[in-house]
Amino acid sequence: MDCIFCKIVDGSIPSRKVREDESLLAFFDVEPKAPIHILVIPKKHVASLAEAKADDEALLGRLLIAAAEIAREQQLGKGFRVVISTGAEGGQTVDHLHLHLLGGRQMHWPPG
Ligand code: AMP
Ligand code: ZN
């Protein structure tokens, strides 16, 4: 499958890894939109949040807990934002589910 995040999981595309376990991987975004910008992805290919099934409940929970733990490790005690862009109109450009963990600056609302 021609998926850049699956290639990051299998190591054929390099990444700056922050965390890895049996079910997920976290790495720095190559085009950061905040001083800290990390992507948290499942190792399993799930195309988007819209494709998530009831079977993925534990996996989705692990992704969020990992984001919270990484935020603590990255000293984001003042706050951070987690974004899951979903589908074309949601601004998703890579069709492998990923959480953006953004922090280190003031976030604004509404997002673009
Ligand atoms: P989205 O636009 O929400 O689908 O997010 C995709 C994100 O993946 C963007 O923020 C990109 O900068 C990021 N990205 C694309 N290719 C890579 C890569 N090889 N390593 C790290 N981040 C990447
Ligand atoms: Zn994939």
Side-chain angles (χ1 to χ4, degrees):
M1 188 188 298
D2 200 26
C3 168
I4 58 171
F5 286 179
C6 282
K7 288 179 179 167
I8 286 176
V9 169
D10 75 18
S12 57
I13 291 178
S15 66
R16 281 176 62 208
K17 283 181 198 169
V18 177
R19 160 180 303 230
E20 180 168 17
D21 67 20
E22 67 285 353
S23 60
L24 64 85
L25 181 66
F27 52 96
F28 283 97
D29 195 292
V30 78
E31 282 184 49
K33 301 298 188 290
I36 301 292
H37 187 174
I38 291 167
L39 302 174
V40 186
I41 72 170
K43 287 190 166 176
K44 168 185 147 179
H45 182 88
V46 177
S48 81
L49 186 61
E51 316 294 320
K53 306 284 189 300
D55 277 358
D56 297 316
E57 184 177 345
L59 179 61
L60 292 175
R62 284 199 286 273
L63 294 172
L64 278 172
I65 298 298
E69 290 177 355
I70 294 165
R72 284 194 282 277
E73 289 164 9
Q74 297 288 331
Q75 321 292 335
L76 298 179
K78 289 202 284 185
F80 58 88
R81 183 170 287 177
V82 172
V83 174
I84 307 177
S85 301
T86 304
E89 200 161 322
Q92 185 176 6
T93 60
V94 175
D95 290 335
H96 181 129
L97 175 64
H98 49 283
L99 281 63
H100 294 263
L101 170 62
L102 297 148
R105 65 167 170 81
Q106 180 64 50
M107 298 296 156
H108 302 286
W109 196 263

